[in-house]
């Protein structure tokens, strides 16, 4: 299928931004110090049958330590089969290769909620605020137990992935709560299929004479994110005030802590700024799962004195939305610090 028809019209839509030479990204801003390998954790030791308590506790401690030190880690033997991941990638590529005009009508095309298909950054006022990417941002309730119209194979694959990744998210969240000394049913009660999301991402090649953000620097506004990415690379994160490129691992899923877990843990677990940089020649694909609570869920630090004010998820989302609309960028947790 002709990629000209399938790619969103970035250059045409944002031509005024591109014409402002002073807004062009300085390539030096997207340079990184070095490539890093995230802490790698084998989850097979969580199996109660094959491993003893000491080995299981070591695994849990590694998860908590990585969440404190990096805010990111990667996991293998995570329970999601390679075959499901392979088929998901194939189906994802097919969906994104559909004509742009067809993707815009995703509610008819895939039976997802209207507004699931997104591209670019409508609120961008300069190139630094523009994300050169397209995505289907899908409520889990649209996937689990529902048909996606005529695309039944895609429906089956994405439902299998959503079911298993939701399970994994609950396991990891419970471990992180346990390592804070909390035996909590909080996540099972508040992070349900009708509040969590799956996001299918595509980062088209960007052959402009300067490199672009595929996704602008940000932190995630959830409890935790689980990412399955291809081997193209482009994901970068901040550690020790420097940007590091994350080395892709074909066998691993990437986990990162979101803002809500940082607030809930009173700053113990870190929600770390990250971004995606486009590739000039090769497209990049990823799938992200976001563990989110209901809007009325109150986020309260687990110990006193609390670093953050108590807030509802709805209040947090509204503040992020307002900041992006007014400032072109997210402020996030600093808005909720206690004075």
């Amino acid at each position: 299928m002709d990629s000209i028809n399938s790619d969103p019209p970035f250059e045409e839509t944002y031509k005024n931004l591109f014409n402002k030479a002073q807004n062009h990204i300085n390539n030096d801003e997207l340079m990184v110090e070095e490539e890093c390998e995230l802490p790698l954790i084998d989850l097979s030791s969580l199996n109660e049958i094959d491993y003893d308590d000491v080995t299981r506790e070591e695994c849990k401690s590694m998860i908590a330590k990585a969440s404190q030190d990096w805010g990111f880690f990667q996991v293998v033997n995570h329970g999601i089969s390679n075959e499901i991941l392979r088929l998901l990638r194939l189906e994802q590529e097919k969906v994104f290769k559909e004509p742009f005009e067809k993707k815009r009508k995703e509610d008819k095309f895939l039976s997802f909620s209207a507004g699931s298909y997104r591209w670019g950054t409508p609120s961008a006022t300069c190139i630094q605020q523009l994300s050169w990417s397209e995505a289907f941002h899908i409520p889990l309730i649209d996937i689990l137990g529902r048909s996606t119209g005529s695309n039944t194979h895609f429906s089956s694959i994405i439902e299998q992935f959503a079911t298993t990744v939701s399970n994994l998210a609950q396991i990891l969240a419970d471990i992180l709560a346990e390592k804070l000394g909390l035996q909590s049913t909080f996540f099972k009660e508040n992070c349900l299929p009708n509040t969590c999301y799956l996001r299918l991402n595509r980062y088209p090649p960007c052959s402009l004479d300067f490199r672009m953000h595929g996704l602008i620097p940000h932190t995630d506004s959830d409890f935790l994110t689980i990412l399955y990415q291809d081997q193209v690379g482009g994901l970068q994160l901040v550690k020790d005030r420097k940007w590091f490129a994350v080395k892709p691992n074909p066998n691993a899923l990437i986990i990162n802590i979101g803002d809500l877990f940082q607030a809930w843990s009173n700053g113990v677990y870190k929600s770390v700024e990250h971004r995606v940089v486009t590739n000039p020649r090769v497209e990049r694909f990823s799938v992200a799962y976001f563990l989110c609570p209901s809007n009325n869920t109150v986020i309260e630090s687990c110990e006193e004195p609390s670093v953050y004010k108590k807030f509802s998820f709805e209040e947090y989302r509204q503040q992020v939305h307002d900041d992006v609309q007014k400032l072109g960028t997210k402020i996030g947790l600093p808005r909720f610090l206690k004075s």
Side-chain angles (χ1 to χ4, degrees):
M1 192 167 294
D2 190 343
S3 64
I4 294 175
N5 292 329
S6 67
D7 282 353
F10 291 104
E11 292 185 59
E12 178 186 342
T13 304
Y14 296 104
K15 60 185 175 184
N16 290 337
L17 300 186
F18 292 120
N19 288 337
K20 296 177 183 177
Q22 70 271 24
N23 282 332
H24 284 187
I25 285 182
N26 180 343
N27 280 326
D28 291 342
E29 292 179 17
L30 295 183
M31 298 300 288
V32 294
E33 292 287 323
E34 59 185 88
E35 191 174 52
C36 70
E37 291 196 42
L38 297 176
L40 181 64
I41 301 173
D42 185 344
L43 298 185
S44 63
S45 58
L46 295 178
N47 188 318
E48 294 186 6
I49 298 173
D50 298 329
Y51 292 88
D52 58 34
D53 289 343
V54 172
T55 307
R56 277 197 302 279
E57 289 307 312
E58 285 176 355
C59 178
K60 292 177 180 180
S61 294
M62 288 173 66
I63 291 169
K65 182 168 176 24
S67 299
Q68 293 174 50
D69 296 347
W70 285 79
F72 270 79
F73 57 96
Q74 53 188 341
V75 295
V76 293
N77 292 316
H78 40 65
I80 303 173
S81 75
N82 288 335
E83 182 64 5
I84 288 295
L85 295 176
R86 185 185 71 81
L87 291 173
L88 177 63
R89 177 55 36 79
L90 289 175
E91 292 300 316
Q92 183 180 0
E93 290 180 13
K94 285 182 196 173
V95 167
F96 278 112
K97 290 304 180 187
E98 293 286 354
F100 172 68
E101 288 303 322
K102 188 175 181 181
K103 287 184 287 191
R104 290 178 68 183
K105 301 170 183 174
E106 83 291 328
D107 52 328
K108 296 181 177 63
F109 166 40
L110 291 169
S111 297
F112 293 146
S113 299
S116 296
Y117 180 66
R118 305 171 183 186
W119 66 278
T121 311
S123 60
T125 59
C126 61
I127 289 298
Q128 288 91 335
Q129 295 171 358
L130 175 60
S131 291
W132 189 278
S133 56
E134 58 178 332
F136 287 98
H137 190 80
I138 315 160
L140 230 62
I141 202 71
D142 280 9
I143 298 170
L144 300 178
R146 289 179 55 177
S147 168
T148 53
S150 60
N151 207 335
T152 53
H153 186 58
F154 177 63
S155 172
S156 172
I157 296 301
I158 199 171
E159 183 172 356
Q160 289 180 69
F161 175 78
T163 301
T164 50
V165 80
S166 298
N167 240 8
L168 176 59
Q170 290 283 345
I171 290 169
L172 294 172
D174 286 348
I175 288 170
L176 289 168
E178 180 186 326
K179 299 310 284 186
L180 291 171
L182 304 171
Q183 295 293 338
S184 176
T185 57
F186 179 89
F187 301 102
K188 287 182 176 62
E189 293 170 355
N190 294 286
C191 300
L192 306 172
N194 62 345
T195 65
C196 298
Y197 294 86
L198 207 63
R199 186 179 177 100
L200 310 179
N201 299 304
R202 175 178 176 259
Y203 301 90
C206 181
S207 57
L208 299 176
D209 60 354
F210 51 93
R211 299 187 75 189
M212 288 285 300
H213 285 123
L215 202 57
I216 63 172
H218 67 287
T219 57
D220 289 349
S221 301
D222 60 356
F223 274 106
L224 59 81
T225 303
I226 300 178
L227 180 75
Y228 169 52
Q229 63 168 353
D230 62 20
Q231 301 309 297
V232 171
L235 176 64
Q236 301 175 355
L237 60 83
V238 172
K239 181 166 174 57
D240 302 326
R241 300 185 180 181
K242 300 174 186 173
W243 283 103
F244 288 85
V246 175
K247 184 176 181 180
N249 181 331
N251 301 311
L253 297 177
I254 291 175
I255 318 295
N256 68 275
I257 299 299
D259 297 342
L260 301 188
F261 232 136
Q262 178 167 321
W264 198 71
S265 69
N266 208 30
V268 173
Y269 302 137
K270 303 298 189 293
S271 180
V272 170
E273 190 175 29
H274 54 286
R275 67 188 181 189
V276 175
V277 175
T278 56
N279 189 294
R281 295 173 301 277
V282 186
E283 63 186 349
R284 177 181 183 268
F285 292 94
S286 68
V287 182
Y289 168 89
F290 301 98
L291 184 68
C292 299
S294 59
N295 278 338
N296 60 4
T297 300
V298 174
I299 309 302
E300 191 172 4
S301 295
C302 64
E303 63 177 20
E304 294 292 342
S306 172
V307 176
Y308 302 99
K309 304 172 191 171
K310 185 165 61 171
F311 58 87
S312 73
F313 187 40
E314 185 171 27
E315 288 172 326
Y316 193 75
R317 290 178 67 177
Q318 188 61 50
Q319 184 65 62
V320 169
H321 176 269
D322 291 347
D323 285 337
V324 170
Q325 291 300 312
K326 293 174 187 174
L327 308 173
T329 189
K330 169 186 171 180
I331 304 300
L333 281 178
R335 290 284 197 206
F336 294 87
L337 286 168
K338 279 190 173 178
S339 53

